[in-house]
């Protein structure tokens, strides 16, 4: 039992890491929709390879499905190049066509083959450890773990070796071309890896939820850092954390593992989107509130400054009358006065507010601007 | 001093078309070494396309481009390119120094990583454009003028012989414009050839010594004082240059 948990966790972690790495470049290239297209369009490749090998995890399967994935990318780009069809429409036309060929093939030959369309679309992580790699009497562990482990190493190697080229071709494709770095080659190399990773992962998480693993962690990491290397590392860490927490949650609730991992991925993104410093929703809201109070205090000191030393000053600086002069809500005015006193912009003398030197200079600065 | 018949850039019979619509019609253009050349013309005249065709970024329907008598593919290392500022995503997760280092990638070739020397070259280039205090600044936090300076520094570290720049003055403040033009003039003093897509007709005579007037066809090309005439301008822009008529 514990062995089974460990196997599932390991597969989930390895799959999440393998998906997050190329996902970073898809997110930065604004191509996450393409991973969705690829994940559907590989179905005919999977079916055809299954006819030939009668196995769902042979290397031929991965190559055939990966070829279908790359073909999808080529089709989409050809359609786009005609300039008669925009990218989103081109994607929308291409992948359902390929996907439905797969559906037709499965339905036509379903009596002869044991290929369940649900298994392809949704996957079942719980069954992944059952398919084991055995050499004579030795049990070497689940096949999925080897497949995804291999993909992880391949993706890692590709990104480490071609890090500079990937970065340049993603940031500035025309400079990459003029310097002779063949951005088209890098592009298709990346797309091949995405296709292979997607095929490898469908066994574990299904061909649709794999998109959550590819797009979610990189999109989350993108909010958290300004460095590409850190974005890659963070994506993998977030992907693994989502996988582990999603797995335990699904175990507690007794629901689909892949579904829970994908849901956790979304909620983690939402959480980071709220709380990340500087660009998160909460810090933006706090900045707005702080600016609101700061501005109100500036208005107050300017008001006092304008009437300072004039005959009406006594009336204008009467705390009880401030809200009438400034047309503020009394509670709002009381809070602004409190903040301004705390900041030593003003001092209170009996019932009157007097500008401090600091408050006076704030008012002068604001008026100069 | 190079022989007078040496051409830094030689464009012959270049036609570029999107489908059957010509963007450039049969362009002939010789750029002598060591000039600071402005390519001017109205919107849609094909200025950017001409630069991209020289760099092999768009495939010509006809014609040929030579860089010092050889095709561009053999001369990559001596050509530096400054694309339009708006052509990249400035929200990309990287910093100023890193972008400038990208200019060294061509010299490094595939797989090799930039090292200490490349870093020093990048720092030096950033000093030249007055951006040395911004090395670790995230690029999304730069102003338009600062972005342009970073692009310029990236081209400088290529240590090229020919520079092609697409609208380097687009959306920059007056200080940056002056800084950029004095840098371009310094490049010319050092014998480099600088080709600039330019928009502002008022500054052509002050900034440049050579000009190409373009409007799908090449209208004229040569030294500014001979070529930048009201007749040529009228032919390039049609009747829309009344303000230049006292020339």
């Amino acid at each position: 039992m514990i062995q089974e948990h460990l196997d599932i966790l390991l597969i989930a972690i390895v799959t999440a890491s393998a998906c997050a790495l190329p996902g970073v470049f898809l997110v930065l290239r604004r191509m996450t929709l393409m991973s969705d297209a690829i994940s559907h369009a590989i179905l005919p490749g999977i079916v055809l390879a299954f006819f030939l090998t009668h196995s769902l995890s042979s290397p031929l399967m991965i190559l055939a499905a990966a070829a279908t994935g790359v073909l999808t990318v080529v089709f989409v780009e050809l359609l786009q190049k005609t300039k008669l069809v925009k990218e989103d429409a081109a994607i929308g036309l291409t992948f359902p066509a390929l996907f439905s060929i797969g559906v037709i093939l499965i339905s036509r030959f379903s009596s002869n083959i044991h290929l369940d369309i649900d298994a392809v679309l949704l996957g079942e992580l719980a069954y992944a450890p059952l398919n084991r790699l055995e050499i004579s009497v030795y049990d070497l562990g689940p096949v999925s773990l080897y497949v995804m482990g291999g993909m992880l190493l391949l993706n890692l190697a590709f990104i480490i070796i071609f890090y500079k080229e990937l970065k340049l071709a993603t940031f500035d494709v025309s400079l990459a071309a003029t310097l002779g770095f063949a951005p088209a080659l890098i592009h298709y190399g990346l797309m091949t890896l995405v296709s292979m990773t997607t095929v490898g992962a469908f066994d574990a998480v299904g061909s649709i939820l794999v998109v959550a693993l590819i797009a979610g962690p990189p999109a989350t990491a993108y909010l958290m850092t300004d460095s590409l290397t850190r974005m890659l590392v963070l994506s993998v860490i977030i992907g693994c954390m989502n996988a582990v927490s999603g797995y335990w949650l699904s175990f507690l609730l007794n629901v689909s593992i892949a579904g829970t991992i994908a849901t956790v991925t979304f909620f983690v993104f939402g959480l980071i989107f709220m709380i990340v410093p500087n660009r998160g929703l909460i810090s933006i809201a706090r900045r707005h509130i702080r600016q609101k109070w700061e501005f109100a205090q500036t208005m107050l000191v300017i008001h006092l400054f304008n009437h300072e030393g004039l005959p009406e000053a006594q009336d204008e600086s009467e705390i009880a009358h401030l809200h009438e002069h400034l047309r503020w809500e009394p509670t709002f005015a009381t809070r602004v006065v409190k903040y301004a006193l705390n900041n030593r912009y003003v001092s209170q003398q009996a019932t009157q507010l007097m500008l401090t030197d600091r408050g006076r200079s704030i008012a002068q600065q604001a008026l100069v601007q | 001093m190079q022989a007078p018949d040496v051409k830094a850039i030689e464009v012959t019979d270049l036609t570029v078309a999107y489908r059957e619509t010509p963007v450039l019609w049969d362009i002939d253009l010789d750029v002598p070494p060591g000039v600071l050349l402005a390519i001017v013309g109205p919107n849609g005249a094909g200025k950017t396309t001409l630069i991209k065709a020289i760099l092999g970024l768009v495939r010509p329907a006809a014609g040929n481009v030579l860089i010092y008598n050889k095709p561009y593919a053999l001369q990559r290392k001596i050509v530096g390119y400054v694309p339009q500022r708006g052509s990249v995503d400035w929200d990309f997760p990287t910093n100023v120094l890193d972008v400038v280092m990208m200019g060294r990638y061509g010299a490094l070739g595939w797989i090799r990583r930039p090292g200490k020397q490349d870093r020093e070259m990048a720092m030096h280039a950033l000093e030249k454009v007055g951006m040395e205090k911004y090395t670790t600044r995230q690029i999304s936090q730069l102003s338009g003028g600062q972005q342009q300076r970073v692009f310029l520094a990236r081209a400088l570290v290529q240590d090229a012989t020919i520079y092609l720049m697409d609208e380097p003055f687009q959306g920059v403040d007056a200080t940056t414009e002056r800084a950029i033009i004095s840098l371009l003039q310094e490049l010319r003093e050092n014998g480099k050839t600088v080709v600039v897509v330019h928009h502002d007709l008022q500054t052509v005579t002050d900034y440049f010594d050579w000009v190409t007037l373009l409007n799908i066809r090449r209208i004229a090309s040569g030294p500014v004082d001979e070529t930048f005439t009201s007749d040529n301008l009228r032919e390039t822009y049609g009747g829309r240059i009344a303000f230049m008529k006292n020339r």
Side-chain angles (χ1 to χ4, degrees), chain B residues 20-34:
Chain B
E20 274 72 49
T21 314
V23 184
L24 292 172
W25 253 144
D26 200 43
I27 305 288
D28 288 305
L29 178 66
D30 292 340
V31 181

Side-chain angles (χ1 to χ4, degrees), chain A residues 28 30 82-83 160 163-165 167-168 170-172 174-175 177-181 222 226-228 231, chain B residues 19 57 72 76 81 83 88-89 91-94 98 102 105-106 109-113 138-139 154 158:
Chain A
L28 291 176
R30 297 160 194 221
T82 64
K83 302 221 167 141
I160 289 175
Y163 178 72
K164 166 175 123 252
E165 288 76 10
K167 182 162 75 177
L168 180 62
T170 304
F171 175 64
D172 191 342
S174 57
L175 185 71
T178 60
L179 294 179
F181 284 114
Y222 181 70
D226 288 335
S227 134
L228 179 57
M231 184 176 166
Chain B
R19 270 186 246 273
L57 289 174
Y72 175 76
R76 286 182 201 285
Y81 173 40
V88 304
D89 174 13
D91 285 328
F92 191 85
T94 189
D98 208 35
M102 288 179 188
Y105 287 8
W110 285 84
I111 297 167
R112 249 177 69 203
R113 297 290 174 89
Q138 215 280 323
I139 55 170
R154 189 178 71 171
Q158 284 183 252

Side-chain angles (χ1 to χ4, degrees), chain A residues 54-345:
Chain A
H54 296 276
S55 149
L56 268 178
S57 47
S58 69
L60 180 70
M61 162 81 96
I62 291 189
L63 288 178
T68 333
V70 176
L71 206 66
T72 317
V73 179
V74 174
F75 272 153
V76 169
E77 282 168 1
L78 281 178
L79 270 175
Q80 232 180 307
K81 268 196 189 134
T82 64
K83 302 221 167 141
L84 300 173
V85 185
K86 299 257 183 274
E87 187 185 12
D88 55 340
I91 290 177
L93 284 165
T94 308
F95 82 80
L98 284 165
F99 180 70
S100 48
I101 292 173
V103 173
I104 290 172
L105 286 175
I106 291 182
S107 61
R108 175 68 185 82
F109 301 103
S110 60
S111 47
N112 306 336
I113 60 172
H114 299 287
L115 182 60
D116 182 0
I117 201 156
D118 283 354
V120 176
L121 290 183
L122 303 174
E124 188 42 271
L125 206 47
Y127 297 151
L130 302 180
N131 184 8
R132 302 193 80 82
L133 186 67
E134 280 158 353
I135 293 176
S136 66
V137 292
Y138 300 104
D139 175 9
L140 297 175
V143 174
S144 297
L145 193 56
Y146 284 93
V147 172
M148 286 323 288
M151 278 319 305
L152 175 60
L153 289 179
L154 200 60
N155 289 344
L156 202 60
F158 182 75
I159 288 172
I160 289 175
I161 293 170
F162 297 111
Y163 178 72
K164 166 175 123 252
E165 288 76 10
L166 276 165
K167 182 162 75 177
L168 180 62
T170 304
F171 175 64
D172 191 342
V173 68
S174 57
L175 185 71
T178 60
L179 294 179
F181 284 114
L185 202 67
I186 295 168
H187 173 68
Y188 284 112
L190 185 64
M191 288 304 133
T192 309
L193 285 183
V194 171
S195 302
M196 289 171 70
T197 309
T198 309
V199 191
F202 89 88
D203 208 17
V205 295
S207 70
I208 294 184
L209 294 182
V210 68
V211 180
L213 299 186
I214 288 177
T220 313
Y222 181 70
L223 297 173
M224 300 167 70
T225 177
D226 288 335
S227 134
L228 179 57
T229 338
R230 255 173 283 160
M231 184 176 166
L232 282 160
V233 174
L234 270 174
S235 296
V236 171
I237 293 173
I238 293 168
C240 292
M241 279 167 38
N242 292 346
V244 174
S245 52
Y247 175 62
W248 283 114
L249 206 60
S250 75
F251 183 70
L252 290 176
L253 302 172
N254 195 21
V255 289
S256 153
I257 303 171
T260 316
I261 292 176
T263 311
V264 166
T265 302
F266 174 75
F267 277 109
V268 167
F269 172 81
L271 185 72
I272 298 296
F273 187 65
M274 300 289 284
I275 64 168
V276 73
N278 298 323
R279 48 185 111 154
L281 281 187
I282 289 177
S283 69
I284 289 172
R286 282 173 63 177
R287 197 154 53 231
H288 282 172
I289 292 169
R290 201 178 60 231
Q291 281 163 353
K292 184 181 115 187
W293 291 111
E294 272 169 10
F295 184 63
Q297 290 173 62
T298 313
M299 282 194 282
L300 176 68
V301 293
I302 286 176
H303 172 73
L304 295 172
F305 182 72
N306 276 341
H307 298 288
E308 201 172 35
L310 294 174
E312 75 272 17
Q314 195 159 10
D315 180 40
E316 296 284 350
S317 56
E318 190 69 38
I319 295 176
H321 296 166
L322 265 176
H323 68 272
E324 285 166 22
H325 290 295
L326 295 169
R327 302 256 159 192
W328 284 350
E329 290 283 319
T331 46
F332 182 80
T334 314
R335 268 180 92 174
V336 175
V337 169
K338 195 180 107 196
Y339 290 143
L341 283 167
N342 282 347
N343 285 329
R344 295 176 200 282
Y345 294 164

